[in-house]
Amino acid sequence: MVLLAAALPLHAQESPYIVTYDHYLEEPGSLEVEYFSTFGTQRAGNDFHAFWAEFEYGATAWWTTELYFDGQTTFNDSTLFTGFRWENRFRLLAREHIINPVLYIEYEQTSGADKILKEVEGHDVEADYAVPNALARQEHDHEIESKLLLSSTFAGWNIAENTIATKNVTGGNPWEFGYAIGASRPLALKASAQRCSFCPENFIAGVEMYGGLGDRYSFGLHNTSHYVAPVIAWNLPSDWTLRLSPGFGLNDNSHRFLLRWGVSREFSGFGAAVSRLFGGRQ
Amino acid sequence: MRLQSSAVALLLTLGVALAQAPSKPVAKDNSVYAELAKAPKRAAARRNPFATDPDAVAAGGKLFGLHCAECHGDMAEGTKKAPSLFADEVQRATPGTLFWLLTNGVVRRGMPVWSKLPEAQRWQLVSYIKSMTLASKPGDADPPHPAPH
């Protein structure tokens, strides 16, 4: 908290995506603190509210590192801490191109009760989430997740495509695959001259779609779940960003409805504050 | 699990500290402006479509305060993190060159790409930066207005 107090709020133009990644990384030295919620309906089980806190730090202009802490409440069941994730994104090309690649590597240590649905992969289906917490928490997953993030910006639009490959290193689980795609655009491209909260350029709207693609032994759409979700972000001049996304399952294997929302604030100078703590010069 | 969590926390802290290790003040390093010379001719020749827009400088000033002042300073005078925009190299650069630099960043030197801002807003930023030639540098008798936050 002391370090955050030493850092300054920084206004950022945050993307509205909750699952999809574009190619923009955190500004160097800045820390973004985020909270996200996912409410999900569950057939043959109890609805749930999953949540995660996210600490996203711009180590350099080409490397962003993030730490997540996940939890969930299943109605009529219990509330659990379900694990953590350490994510790193590396910008592969120095300049902007028509398609900009970013390499994503994540290590996650979660229990089988994790329900944040930050990505959908392999044969993840709704029925997996109907298991009671007491049983699901006994499964411990150690996963390495890699993604190739491709993203383009044209005429104010951002188009992002993510391909996912995940390996659960516990047991003999096969590589699992998934995808996420998104498109978004600010409501206005030109900035107004006045500082304002409700200016259309502060709102970015779009849509994302994500789902599983099976695994190494059964690649494809069979027994997979898929979602489409409109997204909107409101970048406030007071350095806060709010996001909202209702998601809809596209087949019988998907949750019928997911409602996601999030709030974040970015702090610049966090890295410098840490450096001073370790005796670095200002 | 506790041991692994501690290891992750330690790695993160060290990474943060190393990434933010004190670096040479870039404001005095003229080589930081060398990137401007790398703009392709076609990009450098582009004209600012907002050059005659009466609101572009004010809008660019607002955007500067929101996105750029933290590194370049409230009055664009430069800080340890980023150079002064009053430098001749910047002020002599064509609008197209500045637009190209904003779009591509100087990733190896810590300047992010700003293509996340729509093209119109990047041109508005260019209008603001070019307007600085009309104002005095910080420390002169009639300093420019600081960028609004």
Side-chain angles (χ1 to χ4, degrees):
Chain A
M1 290 307 289
V2 172
L3 292 173
L4 286 182
L8 297 167
L10 175 71
H11 185 84
Q13 189 88 350
E14 298 298 334
S15 100
Y17 305 132
I18 293 180
V19 173
T20 312
Y21 287 86
D22 59 27
H23 68 292
Y24 298 113
L25 304 184
E26 191 59 51
E27 282 82 25
S30 294
L31 176 75
E32 186 171 1
V33 181
E34 303 173 82
Y35 168 83
F36 283 93
S37 274
T38 297
F39 165 80
T41 61
Q42 178 73 52
R43 283 169 288 185
N46 296 310
D47 296 345
F48 60 88
H49 170 226
F51 40 87
W52 72 93
E54 186 176 337
F55 300 89
E56 178 176 350
Y57 178 69
T60 69
W62 51 266
W63 171 31
T64 289
T65 185
E66 292 186 54
L67 192 59
Y68 294 75
F69 297 99
D70 302 354
Q72 59 102 327
T73 295
T74 300
F75 302 132
N76 303 314
D77 194 335
S78 60
T79 297
L80 296 174
F81 169 71
T82 53
F84 74 88
R85 300 154 192 261
W86 181 26
E87 166 195 314
N88 290 279
R89 281 176 285 150
F90 303 97
R91 186 184 169 88
L92 299 180
L93 301 176
R95 291 187 183 145
E96 284 289 277
H97 296 268
I98 294 171
I99 297 174
N100 300 282
V102 169
L103 184 63
Y104 172 113
I105 303 286
E106 177 185 287
Y107 169 73
E108 63 182 66
Q109 189 173 311
T110 54
S111 77
D114 198 276
K115 295 184 177 182
I116 70 168
L117 287 157
K118 185 74 174 69
E119 56 273 315
V120 177
E121 65 221 7
H123 295 290
D124 289 350
V125 292
E126 183 186 25
D128 299 341
Y129 298 87
V131 180
N133 280 348
L135 198 61
R137 69 184 302 180
Q138 292 175 19
E139 177 191 327
H140 298 285
D141 297 326
H142 300 259
E143 285 190 357
I144 303 291
E145 185 172 299
S146 61
K147 297 182 187 178
L148 179 62
L149 317 178
L150 302 175
S151 168
S152 310
T153 299
F154 179 72
W157 284 91
N158 172 262
I159 309 290
E161 311 91 29
N162 304 168
T163 50
I164 307 168
T166 299
K167 173 77 174 169
N168 187 343
V169 295
T170 50
N173 297 294
W175 281 93
E176 296 181 310
F177 305 102
Y179 71 91
I181 53 176
S184 65
R185 182 186 187 276
L187 298 191
L189 300 180
K190 186 179 161 186
S192 57
Q194 287 79 37
R195 179 188 164 95
C196 47
S197 295
F198 293 96
C199 297
E201 74 262 22
N202 291 344
F203 294 87
I204 305 178
V207 64
E208 60 184 352
M209 184 176 165
Y210 46 93
L213 292 173
D215 59 36
R216 183 186 163 196
Y217 302 116
S218 56
F219 185 83
L221 300 178
H222 174 68
N223 201 24
T224 58
S225 58
H226 304 268
Y227 298 88
V228 64
V231 289
I232 189 162
W234 182 16
N235 289 299
L236 287 153
S238 55
D239 313 306
W240 292 88
T241 296
L242 306 175
R243 292 181 180 86
L244 182 67
S245 173
F248 304 93
L250 294 176
N251 62 10
D252 288 341
N253 290 322
S254 315
H255 296 276
R256 281 183 178 162
F257 180 65
L258 299 174
L259 180 64
R260 300 175 187 268
W261 65 95
V263 58
S264 62
R265 193 175 200 205
E266 193 164 328
F267 298 89
S268 70
F270 176 79
V274 172
S275 180
R276 284 197 294 276
L277 188 70
F278 284 88
R281 285 179 298 147
Q282 286 193 38
Chain B
M1 178 144 174
R2 193 176 300 161
L3 182 65
Q4 284 163 322
S5 304
S6 304
V8 168
L10 180 64
L11 274 172
L12 273 176
T13 308
L14 284 174
V16 163
L18 287 172
Q20 293 300 316
S23 55
K24 291 176 184 175
V26 290
K28 296 172 184 173
D29 179 3
N30 285 335
S31 67
V32 299
Y33 300 111
E35 198 71 13
L36 289 164
K38 296 178 183 171
K41 282 182 183 172
R42 201 170 145 192
R46 288 185 71 182
R47 295 193 173 182
N48 185 350
F50 291 88
T52 56
D53 183 335
D55 293 332
V57 173
K62 181 181 88 169
L63 292 168
F64 185 89
L66 292 172
H67 303 296
C68 316
E70 197 270 328
C71 290
H72 287 281
D74 283 348
M75 299 168 76
E77 74 278 17
T79 69
K80 287 177 182 175
K81 292 171 78 174
S84 166
L85 302 183
F86 285 99
D88 286 345
E89 290 88 340
V90 176
Q91 292 301 330
R92 278 202 312 262
T94 64
T97 299
L98 296 179
F99 180 85
W100 176 84
L101 194 83
L102 274 172
T103 302
N104 289 282
V106 191
V107 171
R108 288 193 194 90
R109 284 186 172 271
M111 178 172 166
V113 299
W114 283 102
S115 63
K116 69 163 87 171
L117 293 179
E119 200 169 306
Q121 294 185 26
R122 278 174 272 152
W123 281 119
Q124 289 174 316
L125 269 169
V126 169
S127 293
Y128 176 72
I129 294 167
K130 296 302 280 184
S131 76
M132 291 173 186
T133 54
L134 304 174
S136 302
K137 291 182 184 178
D140 289 357
D142 184 20
H145 297 295
H149 283 277

